[in-house]
Amino acid sequence: MLAPDYQPGPWAEQWNQEIIDDFFDTTVRRKLERPDITRATCIGLAREILGTEEIEPARIQGVCSFTLISRSKGKVVQFRRHALDDDMLSLASSIYGGLTPRLSRYTFEDGNDFPIPTYIANVAPGVHMMCLPQPPFPVDKLCRTVSDLADFFAKPVQVSDQRQSARHPDGYAAPAAKRLDSVLEHPAFKRNATTATMDFVKHVREHVHLIDSLPLVLTHTDVIPMNMFANPDDGSITSVIDWDHACIDIFGKSMWSLYEGFVTYTIDDVTHVQEQRDVIENVFWTRLWESVKPRLTPEVDGPAVRASMAVGAIARYLRFRTLDEIGDNDDVASSFWRTKAFLPLLPRIT
């Protein structure tokens, strides 16, 4: 459970208000066309579900949901933009056990669903990583975190499950190559990318063919501190939440999170690199390769894994919408500048 002594920074109040307002204005009122469902409606239902008046919004809200917590009950009620994929949740639970939240879909006694997909779960153990003291974190705790992060990525490789075996008939390298070509030719990318960013994307394009050699695994597409809980005493990861877009994808595609969330950190919109970056990277990669052998080895599969990670990083922030809206949308511009800060830090593929 989130310890009461740990509070998010002053940014959280504005963040939460903007996210909640957007959820009810864009998702509920416009997309679902349910202006009758309000924040108060959801709070009332959560109180009814949990049988308590002690309900409060989560201290850190996600962009795709409205989350309420009862600390006395140790429960979370979450109203989501979209229903979650039951197969992916089941697979995540079988692979990760207690590291993932066990969500149950709420239905009324007559079997009908609330108009907004509604889920109940236990409060995640540990402390939300965005509520930990402002970075840079002590390197010993950070090393424990990235070691656990490596284990998290390696775990699906260790599990034999037919749900992870389906392969795209055309492979994954060809579509990725086509997309990289489109990014490189996009006028906004040419105009705004630094030389280092441009060179890195070209480097990835040259080696993208390697990714088809990797296994397909359950992939959490957003393994960043915003979606993680940790033990504040030793830095160990205690829970990973928000499996909205979990899917079966090429191993390594979400490992960019090491560089965005742990090798670098951001204060007041300025990205900094950890002073002991080399130590942090070494801990992660050493642990990863120890955890995936003998199925994968750094000598044979290292270039393909690094290519997959780079493809995932580029796909995350260099979306066409991002490129199309640079200059017109502050959030999009911020996303692009963060990419320019951490993307060149990713290791070369060969």
Side-chain angles (χ1 to χ4, degrees):
M1 183 179 295
L2 181 59
D5 293 340
Y6 290 90
Q7 301 288 341
W11 59 271
E13 183 175 355
Q14 180 179 354
W15 163 272
N16 285 342
Q17 191 58 56
E18 290 176 354
I19 291 298
I20 292 171
D21 288 347
D22 182 70
F23 179 80
F24 285 102
D25 183 53
T26 302
T27 297
V28 178
R29 186 172 69 85
R30 297 182 186 179
K31 293 185 178 179
L32 298 180
E33 298 182 343
R34 292 299 302 262
D36 55 310
I37 298 176
T38 64
R39 177 173 172 166
T41 307
C42 293
I43 291 174
L45 179 58
R47 287 172 172 165
E48 180 182 332
I49 291 171
L50 298 182
T52 179
E53 292 293 309
E54 188 266 308
I55 293 287
E56 63 179 1
R59 293 171 185 170
I60 306 292
Q61 293 287 334
V63 297
C64 297
S65 59
F66 176 50
T67 303
L68 298 166
I69 295 178
S70 170
R71 301 191 186 283
S72 62
K73 296 285 187 177
K75 294 289 185 180
V76 169
V77 177
Q78 192 170 70
F79 301 88
R80 303 200 63 87
R81 182 179 299 176
H82 305 291
L84 297 170
D85 187 321
D86 291 338
D87 288 339
M88 291 298 102
L89 290 179
S90 173
L91 181 57
S93 180
S94 68
I95 292 175
Y96 292 109
L99 199 60
T100 63
R102 292 186 178 273
L103 296 160
S104 59
R105 180 80 179 262
Y106 173 75
T107 59
F108 293 112
E109 291 183 358
D110 60 7
N112 291 322
D113 294 324
F114 188 62
I116 304 174
T118 306
Y119 293 86
I120 306 168
N122 292 331
V123 172
V127 174
H128 196 293
M129 291 196 71
M130 300 303 292
C131 294
L132 292 174
Q134 183 168 280
F137 303 116
V139 70
D140 58 332
K141 294 182 181 180
L142 192 53
C143 284
R144 173 61 189 272
T145 303
V146 299
S147 178
D148 284 0
L149 183 68
D151 283 340
F152 179 85
F153 286 126
K155 195 73 172 176
V157 177
Q158 303 164 353
V159 175
S160 177
D161 191 302
Q162 63 179 5
R163 289 173 289 184
Q164 296 191 119
S165 62
R167 182 166 288 277
H168 193 285
D170 298 324
Y172 288 80
K178 183 177 180 180
R179 192 184 183 288
L180 289 169
D181 287 338
S182 297
V183 168
L184 288 166
E185 291 302 317
H186 198 288
F189 181 74
K190 291 181 177 180
R191 186 170 59 251
N192 291 281
T194 62
T195 300
T197 303
M198 182 76 73
D199 289 346
F200 185 79
V201 176
K202 290 178 179 178
H203 173 68
V204 177
R205 175 62 182 88
E206 292 173 3
H207 297 90
V208 70
H209 62 279
L210 297 172
I211 67 176
D212 273 341
S213 67
L214 294 171
L216 297 181
V217 294
L218 174 67
T219 300
H220 186 303
T221 59
D222 205 12
V223 193
I224 56 174
M226 180 67 77
N227 293 328
M228 300 169 72
F229 287 70
N231 182 332
D233 295 327
D234 63 9
S236 58
I237 297 173
T238 56
S239 186
V240 179
I241 62 172
D242 280 355
W243 291 77
D244 308 52
H245 304 294
C247 60
I248 304 302
D249 209 338
I250 294 172
F251 176 71
K253 204 169 178 183
S254 288
M255 288 184 193
W256 50 262
S257 63
L258 169 68
Y259 292 87
E260 181 188 339
F262 303 97
V263 169
T264 64
Y265 60 94
T266 301
I267 298 178
D268 297 330
D269 294 328
V270 177
T271 299
H272 305 267
V273 179
Q274 296 282 356
E275 288 186 5
Q276 300 196 49
R277 167 191 172 181
D278 292 345
V279 173
I280 296 165
E281 286 187 87
N282 183 63
V283 167
F284 175 86
W285 289 109
T286 299
R287 182 62 180 173
L288 180 81
W289 292 117
E290 287 175 350
S291 300
V292 296
K293 65 181 182 184
R295 188 172 183 185
L296 299 172
T297 66
E299 296 80 12
V300 174
D301 304 293
V305 170
R306 292 189 289 274
S308 177
M309 176 176 61
V311 167
I314 292 168
R316 173 172 172 79
Y317 280 128
L318 295 181
R319 302 184 180 102
F320 296 131
R321 173 183 173 274
T322 301
L323 295 171
D324 290 339
E325 295 186 10
I326 289 176
D328 300 322
N329 184 313
D330 289 342
D331 289 338
V332 168
S334 174
S335 173
F336 186 74
W337 292 115
R338 287 201 307 275
T339 300
K340 294 201 295 186
F342 87 86
L343 198 63
L345 297 176
L346 270 62
R348 302 287 289 184
I349 294 169
T350 58

